[in-house]
Amino acid sequence: MSDSRPVVTRIAPSPTGSMHIGTARTALFNYLYAKHTGGRFLLRVEDTDRERSTEAAVQVIFDGLTWLGLPFDGEPVFQFARADRHREAVLQMLEAGKAYRCWLAGEELTAAREKAHAAGHALRSPWRDRDPRPADLGKPHAIRFRGPLNGDTVVEDLVQGQVTFRNRDLDDLVLLRSDGAPTYNLAVVVDDHDMAVTHVIRGDDHLNNAARQTLIYKAMGWDLPHFAHVPLIHGPDGAKLSKRHGAQAVAEFADLGYLPEAMRNYLARLGWSHGDDELFSDADAIAWFDIADANKGASRLDWDKLGFVNAHYIRLADDARLADLVAAVFAARGEPLDEARKAHALRAIPLVKERAKTIVELADQLAFLYRARPLTLDEKTRDLLSGETRARLTRLRGQLAATNDWSAEALEALLKAFAESEGVGFGKFAPALRGILTGGTASPDLGRTLSALGREESLARLDDALSPVA
Ligand code: GLU
């Protein structure tokens, strides 16, 4: 093929109702390679399964790419709408003798397949070398590819290297079914050719298809694209990613509170590397990405690493954006935040964002702000509020009421000085204080907890808990 063609990549998902994380990574690799080379990244919706290809399922693909921040160039191509063009290509092969009409069906087909296997090669229909009678033409029949009987088909793969297939193992595949429907491999080749795709980057579960597709390209006299088959993503235990590993769909990762920029960084690193770099910007990824550097071995989803990458991007994220995302988490839980509560989240986020690994964790760290007074204290806190601790916290309440600096640092310093003046360690009062302020749910360190809660609310919660039981 001529290598002077401008680079065109594509993602070609089938609408299944969700976008798999493997599809997301394939989209990312195609996107990065196109951007790296100044090329174009296209979308083709492989919607030939009419039952599954609902409008909603197609929308999931658009939403997934939008959320991931991987915009495609131009208009999306819908495969089903191109069936006439696919049939045209089949007829061209038929006329050129590269394909033949085949009436093999049912038991005859099974028998022919068994016979071929017994003879050590893949199916060749007896119709390959038989002239159809005019009377047959009116009867339903398929059109099959006339594959080479001998020799090899070599796929020069940018990731897998040279992969050789024996032609005798590749059957005369059906190009057009007896109902007139074009088949998968045929449609992919015609579409990729018409879309001027130069680089087919996809999961290595399609490597066998690449051999069949190569034969079709050659039969049509078309330039081959470069193939790059990337190993699939496995679960942490090395087995193929499945439900039992947890989230698989892009939307699930979004719901778990991962940021799209973190997913891009993490997925780029999953199956490709640039030295030891773990954290890099989109611009870096585009500058560095070459599909030839993709790993040959399967990659494993590593939740700890994903959490580490996500935490990094949460720290970098704008607080107002984080407040919106946190509000969405509360809304999804059926506890929408009103304006005042959202404003409170926004003020508190700088105090808690440093340690959160997901947006859900961030929301959990803020939930204590919204507890209604008087808080129901957990049993542990009630037990801790014995005479001595109660008296100590009452003294602390007095000191807190006397300070005007409600910054986390000042409050942390106050607590430290208080512990010293009492001649005790933090352990003697901090757990009870935390319980009083939060009701026993997650919260940051105490200086931050007090600061995030605000002066008035902190003192009120102390009063609720310390006032003599009526
Ligand atoms: N529709 C195929 C899939 O979802 C992709 C085919 C291709 O990339 O060539 O696996």
Side-chain angles (χ1 to χ4, degrees):
M1 66 169 286
S2 59
D3 283 317
S4 57
R5 296 188 289 174
V7 166
V8 178
T9 68
R10 77 338 184 242
I11 180 74
S14 312
T16 59
S18 75
M19 185 186 255
H20 194 270
I21 196 68
T23 306
R25 190 190 55 172
T26 302
L28 176 68
F29 281 13
N30 277 286
Y31 171 85
L32 289 176
Y33 191 65
K35 297 298 144 185
H36 175 75
T37 53
R40 284 158 56 80
F41 165 61
L42 308 180
L43 169 65
R44 178 171 71 241
V45 180
E46 303 213 315
D47 57 349
T48 52
D49 180 340
R50 299 315 289 160
E51 259 170 46
R52 298 185 90 180
S53 301
T54 59
E55 214 173 292
V58 172
Q59 192 59 42
V60 166
I61 294 172
F62 292 131
D63 291 347
L65 291 173
T66 303
W67 183 79
L68 284 162
L70 303 176
F72 52 89
D73 294 305
E75 292 299 314
V77 170
F78 290 90
Q79 189 160 63
F80 180 70
R82 293 178 38 82
D84 283 344
R85 167 65 181 137
H86 301 148
R87 282 188 278 271
E88 187 185 293
V90 175
L91 293 182
Q92 209 176 313
M93 280 190 268
L94 193 63
E95 273 162 30
K98 311 273 187 191
Y100 60 93
R101 297 181 192 275
C102 172
W103 281 264
L104 205 55
E107 281 171 18
E108 250 179 35
L109 173 59
T110 313
R113 185 167 280 132
E114 277 166 13
K115 197 174 145 206
H117 288 171
H121 58 80
L123 175 72
R124 314 287 166 189
S125 162
W127 290 97
R128 187 182 159 108
D129 308 307
R130 212 185 271 174
D131 282 334
R133 289 163 308 183
D136 294 328
L137 288 174
K139 294 185 201 150
H141 60 277
I143 298 182
R144 284 185 186 274
F145 185 69
R146 191 189 297 276
L149 298 175
N150 304 305
D152 293 330
T153 293
V154 177
V155 174
E156 299 284 352
D157 195 274
L158 290 171
V159 176
Q160 308 289 335
Q162 206 175 61
V163 188
T164 303
F165 296 83
R166 295 192 310 177
N167 288 332
R168 60 188 297 164
D169 297 331
L170 304 171
D171 66 1
D172 280 0
L173 77 151
V174 171
L175 300 171
L176 206 60
R177 293 200 187 89
S178 56
D179 64 2
T183 56
Y184 170 72
N185 278 303
L186 182 265
V188 168
V189 169
V190 176
D191 291 347
D192 281 338
H193 170 263
D194 289 0
M195 291 163 75
V197 170
T198 58
H199 290 73
V200 171
I201 302 170
R202 61 188 171 194
D204 68 4
D205 49 337
H206 286 285
L207 189 56
N208 282 323
N209 286 332
R212 300 165 175 290
Q213 292 170 9
T214 295
L215 290 173
I216 299 174
Y217 274 101
K218 288 189 174 159
M220 291 299 293
W222 289 340
D223 280 344
L224 278 165
H226 294 282
F227 287 111
H229 289 91
V230 183
L232 302 184
I233 300 175
H234 286 188
D237 58 357
K240 201 175 161 220
L241 195 63
S242 71
K243 270 208 186 88
R244 74 191 159 81
H245 293 115
Q248 291 184 88
V250 171
E252 291 176 276
F253 284 88
D255 288 346
L256 287 171
Y258 294 97
L259 296 175
E261 62 269 41
M263 292 305 288
R264 287 198 297 277
N265 187 149
Y266 179 72
L267 288 175
R269 188 59 192 76
L270 194 62
W272 168 82
S273 55
H274 179 266
D276 291 333
D277 291 302
E278 294 289 353
L279 299 168
F280 40 79
S281 65
D282 291 322
D284 285 340
I286 289 170
W288 297 338
F289 189 83
D290 189 341
I291 190 60
D293 296 332
N295 300 342
K296 234 173 140 170
S299 39
R300 296 182 186 202
L301 193 67
D302 179 337
W303 290 97
D304 287 341
K305 206 175 223 180
L306 176 57
F308 161 79
V309 173
N310 204 45
H312 169 76
Y313 286 98
I314 288 177
R315 284 194 294 274
L316 290 185
D318 177 61
D319 294 339
R321 175 181 168 215
L322 292 175
D324 284 341
L325 292 169
V326 161
V329 171
F330 280 103
R333 289 177 180 171
E335 304 159 14
L337 303 182
D338 60 19
E339 280 309 310
R341 289 190 158 193
K342 200 168 154 199
H344 198 174
L346 182 58
R347 288 196 306 278
I349 278 172
L351 296 167
V352 298
K353 73 194 270 192
E354 250 169 62
R355 281 176 42 197
K357 287 196 283 300
T358 66
I359 299 299
V360 171
E361 256 183 50
L362 195 57
D364 288 342
Q365 290 273 320
L366 293 171
F368 77 96
L369 297 177
Y370 308 125
R371 306 209 54 178
R373 285 186 45 223
L375 273 62
T376 312
L377 300 185
D378 57 317
E379 204 179 307
K380 193 176 128 226
T381 305
R382 284 200 309 267
D383 286 350
L384 286 172
L385 280 181
S386 66
E388 193 194 19
T389 308
R390 185 178 287 269
R392 184 167 285 130
L393 288 178
T394 306
R395 290 195 288 280
L396 175 62
R397 193 244 177 246
Q399 293 203 11
L400 286 169
T403 182
N404 285 321
D405 187 348
W406 211 257
S407 67
E409 298 75 30
L411 291 162
E412 197 61 37
L414 185 151
L415 292 173
K416 227 168 148 191
F418 176 73
E420 269 166 35
S421 70
E422 294 276 316
V424 295
F426 257 55
K428 281 285 181 209
F429 65 93
L433 177 59
R434 185 185 294 279
I436 288 170
L437 296 173
T438 67
T441 57
S443 69
D445 66 42
L446 279 169
R448 285 164 190 253
T449 298
L450 285 161
S451 180
L453 210 47
R455 188 168 189 277
E456 206 181 313
E457 180 71 15
S458 298
L459 295 177
R461 288 189 186 186
L462 275 161
D463 290 342
D464 289 341
L466 298 174
S467 62
V469 185

